[in-house]
Amino acid sequence: HVQLVESGGGSVQAGGSLRLSCAASGKTYSIDYMAWFRQAPGREREGIAAVYIGGGKTYYADSVKGRFTISQDNAVNTVYLQMNSLKAEDTAVYYCAAGNGKFYGGNWSWQDRYNYWGQGTQVTVSS
């Protein structure tokens, strides 16, 4: 089993930056890919960034491309999400997710590809 714990959320003004962390524990050797999702009030959860652990290839939603960066530190089993130029519409609960098995870049944002989820961390951007 794998446990995921997010941290780094908070409140920031528009144009500011935050870095989220997702620490994995347990059977981390079984993780093949990880991602960040977010869910704003009244909206469905959406995938915003993913990374294939083995090769380091990254994927982004159009809404965050060029502003957010996903990265990994395998030495400490942690994935990060650097968020720059934040906008009010980035306000949401952010979730970390991990999956194992074959990874297809074309469906990186499908929630059912991920076996493990963190509890979420709130990000609030004020305009």
Side-chain angles (χ1 to χ4, degrees):
H1 202 66
V2 171
Q3 295 80 41
L4 303 174
V5 178
E6 302 101 332
S7 60
S11 297
V12 65
Q13 288 194 325
S17 299
L18 281 175
R19 188 177 82 155
L20 305 183
S21 300
C22 173
S25 61
K27 297 183 177 179
T28 57
Y29 59 83
S30 69
I31 297 174
D32 293 311
Y33 44 92
M34 295 185 71
W36 288 95
F37 287 75
R38 69 184 181 187
Q39 186 167 21
R43 301 189 65 174
E44 292 188 358
R45 190 178 298 186
E46 61 171 343
I48 55 172
V51 59
Y52 180 61
I53 299 299
K57 190 169 174 60
T58 56
Y59 304 84
Y60 295 94
D62 288 343
S63 58
V64 305
K65 204 172 289 185
R67 300 188 298 123
F68 291 10
T69 303
I70 187 171
S71 61
Q72 61 189 89
D73 186 340
N74 294 338
V76 292
N77 296 316
T78 300
V79 167
Y80 304 96
L81 185 69
Q82 178 66 44
M83 305 185 294
N84 298 328
S85 302
L86 282 162
K87 306 175 182 179
E89 50 263 44
D90 294 319
T91 295
V93 178
Y94 284 70
Y95 297 91
C96 176
N100 49 38
K102 243 177 158 28
F103 182 72
Y104 299 95
N107 58 22
W108 67 266
S109 62
W110 294 8
Q111 297 183 52
D112 60 4
R113 298 288 301 158
Y114 298 86
N115 312 93
Y116 307 103
W117 292 82
Q119 81 288 351
T121 185
Q122 177 71 45
V123 171
T124 302
V125 184
S126 56
S127 56

